[in-house]
């Protein structure tokens, strides 16, 4: 508190602003932000004439305001791609379906929301559950950053576990989903645990598939960081597509996958075809940004304070690494306050890739967990009237199309590209198995529409 910031800043040629009131601080902060990064650093010194108690409150308010601004700025650069499939047609009423939690499905590293296609279909059509599958940052069609690749500092935040959790919370708010059960595979399971820790009132429970609750020691944490950093470096250094395909072949031949190529060649082939669509640069950033080494400890504590969100943990019978985690969780589940809060199961004849290998077993586990969570028993569905269309799926995808020639407008400069979103709605009736689809475009034009693209998407 005795540092002479003014002299220090003058010595290094850095602008310095002294503020004595919250209003002066806010004005100085907004001015520095309006100048942009190219103008360089600026030191804003707050030196209010306050009592100790007032000073503590002042610093807390500043911290909260800056944190809120930073969160808003980061989330504005993360556009999650998602698919929401409604299972209300298998419920007694739309009100009954609305009262039940949506199952949020989160894929693993190098995966995408399409990995859940078979599981989603089973959950919706056979169990009547509504599901929301999401592409995590660095995967699938989710957009991260602004123009071009984010720099290393921006990427460390945008691809982090906390930002992934906040982006999911913002998506649920946008879709008006206030109760959800999170189902996550591997990396997705760790994101699900992080969400449950951050938003226990929204996350009613977690189904973690082949997911690690956290390193058990500082040594394990350091070793994992070394492994993830080296793997990300190798991934970023790949020169072309053939090199990436060779990398995938080696990766999925590791003992973790328990000989998937030999055990289930069709599953292996289908999975590899999807993995080839991954962006290796973004996947590398996601690997280090959401590394297990940086993850907090989400192991259930066997203390008097039980976890607020129950967890169903499943691993493949052939997956030795995660079977050992399951054994440790099972021991914890049998003690004290964790009884009835942690449930462990093994899926027979399966390795690590549970979603790909055993979609029916995974869907049945999720449905059973949802029933157990709500204290329900299965009931017969009530069919809708034959002529009534039931919304079965809705999702949006970002689009950015270069035009063959710039589009001349009556106002403003010619437009070389169109940026917006495609909205897809799907519905079906009980009488006709065919799906009816509708396609809409959200594409506000500058100077012609009041809304920005982000405002239009929110609407």
């Amino acid at each position: 508190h005795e540092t002479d910031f003014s002299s220090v800043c003058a010595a290094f040629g850095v602008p310095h602003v002294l503020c004595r009131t919250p209003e002066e601080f806010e004005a100085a902060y907004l001015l520095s932000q309006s100048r942009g990064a190219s103008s360089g650093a600026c030191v804003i010194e707050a030196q209010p004439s306050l009592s100790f108690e007032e000073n503590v409150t002042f610093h807390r308010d500043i911290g909260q305001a800056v944190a809120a601004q930073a969160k808003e700025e980061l989330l504005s650069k993360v556009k999650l791609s998602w698919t929401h499939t409604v299972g209300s047609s298998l419920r007694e009423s739309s009100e009954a379906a609305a009262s039940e939690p949506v199952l949020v499905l989160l894929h693993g590293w190098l995966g995408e929301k399409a990995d859940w296609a078979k599981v989603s279909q089973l959950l919706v059509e056979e169990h009547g559950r509504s599901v929301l599958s999401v592409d995590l940052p660095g995967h699938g069609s989710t957009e991260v950053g602004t123009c071009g690749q984010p720099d290393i500092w921006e990427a460390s935040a945008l691809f982090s576990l906390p930002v992934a959790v906040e982006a999911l919370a913002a998506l649920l708010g946008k879709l008006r989903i206030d109760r959800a059960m999170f189902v996550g595979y591997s990396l997705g399971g760790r994101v699900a645990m992080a969400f449950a820790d951050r938003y226990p009132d929204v996350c009613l429970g977690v189904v973690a598939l082949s997911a690690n609750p956290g390193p058990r020691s500082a040594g394990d944490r350091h070793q994992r960081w070394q492994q993830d950093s080296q793997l990300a470096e190798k991934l970023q250094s790949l020169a072309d597509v053939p090199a990436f395909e060779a990398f995938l072949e080696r990766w999925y031949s590791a003992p973790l996958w328990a000989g998937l190529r030999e055990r289930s060649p069709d599953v292996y082939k289908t999975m590899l075809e999807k993995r080839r669509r991954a962006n290796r640069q973004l996947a590398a950033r996601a690997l280090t940004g959401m590394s297990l080494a940086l993850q907090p400890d989400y192991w259930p504590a066997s203390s008097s304070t039980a976890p607020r969100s129950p967890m169903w943990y499943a691993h493949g019978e052939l997956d030795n690494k995660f079977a050992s985690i399951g054994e440790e969780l099972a021991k914890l589940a049998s003690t004290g306050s964790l009884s009835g809060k942690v449930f462990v199961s093994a899926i027979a004849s399966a390795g690590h890739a549970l979603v790909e290998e055993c979609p029916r077993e995974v869907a049945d586990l999720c449905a059973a967990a949802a029933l157990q969570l709500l204290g329900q028993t299965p009931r017969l569905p009530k069919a809708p009237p034959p002529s009534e269309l039931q919304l079965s799926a809705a999702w949006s995808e970002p689009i950015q199309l270069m035009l063959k020639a710039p589009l001349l407008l009556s106002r403003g400069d010619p437009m070389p590209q169109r940026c917006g979103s495609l909205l897809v709605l799907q519905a079906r009736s009980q009488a006709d198995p065919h799906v009816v689809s509708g396609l809409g475009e959200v594409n506000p034009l500058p100077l012609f529409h009041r809304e920005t693209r982000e405002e239009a998407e929110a609407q």
Side-chain angles (χ1 to χ4, degrees):
H1 284 269
E2 296 179 356
T3 303
D4 185 353
F5 286 102
S6 178
S7 298
V8 173
C9 291
F12 287 92
V14 176
H16 169 264
V17 181
L18 178 62
C19 304
R20 299 189 182 278
T21 66
E23 291 75 21
E24 289 179 356
F25 176 85
E26 182 179 6
Y29 174 76
L30 293 176
L31 179 61
S32 69
Q33 293 300 295
S34 67
R35 289 172 176 165
S38 60
S39 62
C42 174
V43 172
I44 303 174
E45 180 183 358
Q47 198 181 81
S49 300
L50 302 172
S51 66
F52 175 79
E53 291 77 12
E54 291 172 331
N55 197 34
V56 169
T57 302
F58 176 58
H59 278 75
R60 184 194 62 207
D61 292 345
I62 288 176
Q64 291 176 347
V66 171
Q69 181 67 29
K71 175 182 173 180
E72 182 181 345
E73 178 70 17
L74 287 170
L75 293 184
S76 70
K77 297 180 180 180
V78 179
K79 305 293 185 184
L80 295 179
S81 177
W82 48 274
T83 301
H84 186 198
T85 309
V86 181
S88 61
S89 60
L90 296 184
R91 284 288 169 263
E92 292 179 355
S93 66
S94 57
E95 291 78 10
S99 67
E100 297 181 358
V102 173
L103 299 183
V104 180
L105 310 180
L106 305 175
H107 59 77
W109 184 60
L110 291 177
E112 56 186 49
K113 63 180 184 290
D115 295 348
W116 294 99
K118 291 182 180 179
V119 175
S120 296
Q121 183 178 8
L122 291 168
L123 284 170
V124 172
E125 296 182 358
E126 296 190 10
H127 299 285
R129 296 290 165 186
S130 296
V131 299
L132 173 66
S133 51
V134 183
D135 282 334
L136 292 172
H139 299 81
S141 300
T142 284
E143 295 180 350
V144 179
T146 49
C147 299
Q149 295 286 345
D151 62 41
I152 187 171
W153 298 108
E154 186 181 39
S156 67
L158 290 175
F159 293 91
S160 67
L161 207 57
V163 166
V165 167
E166 295 301 333
L168 285 167
L171 175 60
L172 293 184
K174 174 182 176 181
L175 298 177
R176 299 181 181 179
I177 297 173
D178 56 5
R179 304 166 76 243
M181 187 170 187
F182 277 71
V183 182
Y185 161 69
S186 196
L187 167 62
R190 298 196 287 110
V191 175
M193 293 180 218
F195 191 99
D197 183 71
R198 177 72 175 86
Y199 293 102
D201 293 332
V202 177
C203 180
L204 303 184
V206 171
V207 177
L209 308 170
S210 304
N212 196 328
R216 296 306 261 166
S217 69
D220 291 344
R221 195 174 290 276
H222 175 73
Q223 183 180 23
R224 180 56 182 257
W225 178 250
Q226 296 296 321
Q227 293 172 350
D228 287 349
S229 298
Q230 292 170 9
L231 187 60
E233 224 174 280
K234 184 182 299 182
L235 193 55
Q236 289 178 313
S237 67
L238 299 178
D240 49 29
V241 173
F244 181 48
E245 292 180 349
F247 170 88
L248 292 174
E249 292 277 356
R250 292 192 301 272
W251 175 251
Y252 289 108
S253 298
L256 178 69
W257 308 97
L260 178 61
R261 176 161 53 183
E262 292 73 30
R263 289 188 297 108
S264 304
D266 291 341
V267 171
Y268 176 83
K269 180 182 177 182
T270 301
M271 185 173 71
L272 225 62
E273 287 175 352
K274 289 187 290 186
R275 299 299 174 263
R276 292 188 184 105
R277 300 198 291 254
N279 183 313
R280 53 185 183 271
Q281 299 297 326
L282 296 181
R285 292 185 184 275
L287 176 64
T288 53
M290 291 183 276
S291 170
L292 180 66
L294 304 178
Q295 174 183 305
D297 185 351
Y298 294 130
W299 283 87
S302 56
S303 63
S304 58
T305 304
R308 295 179 64 182
S309 299
M311 179 169 72
W312 288 262
Y313 185 88
H315 61 85
E317 183 184 40
L318 306 177
D319 186 354
N320 295 327
K321 176 180 177 181
F322 287 87
S324 64
I325 292 177
E327 290 174 4
E328 192 169 352
L329 283 169
K331 290 178 183 177
L332 289 173
S334 63
T335 61
S337 60
L338 292 182
S339 178
K341 282 285 189 178
V342 179
F343 311 90
V344 180
S345 60
I347 297 181
S349 304
H352 187 69
L354 294 180
V355 178
E356 305 285 350
E357 293 184 57
C358 315
R360 177 165 291 281
E361 288 83 351
V362 169
D364 290 346
L365 171 65
C366 295
L371 288 174
Q372 186 177 352
L373 178 67
L374 299 173
Q376 295 179 345
T377 55
R379 59 191 178 209
L380 294 175
K382 181 179 179 181
S387 61
E388 183 180 349
L389 280 176
Q390 297 288 319
L391 183 67
S392 60
W395 70 92
S396 65
E397 295 285 352
I399 55 172
Q400 184 172 350
L401 304 176
M402 295 300 298
L403 303 179
K404 292 182 178 180
L407 178 64
L408 299 178
L409 304 172
S410 60
R411 286 179 285 176
D413 298 329
M415 183 181 297
Q417 62 183 12
R418 297 293 295 273
C419 296
S421 294
L422 290 181
L423 175 64
V424 183
L425 302 179
Q426 290 185 343
R428 67 178 71 198
S429 70
Q430 191 74 8
D432 186 353
H434 293 92
V435 174
V436 180
S437 298
L439 183 67
E441 180 184 9
V442 179
N443 197 336
L445 296 174
L447 303 179
F448 286 84
H449 297 97
R450 290 193 303 270
E451 298 86 359
T452 64
R453 174 186 167 186
E454 289 75 18
E455 292 169 340
E457 285 180 345
Q459 291 177 9

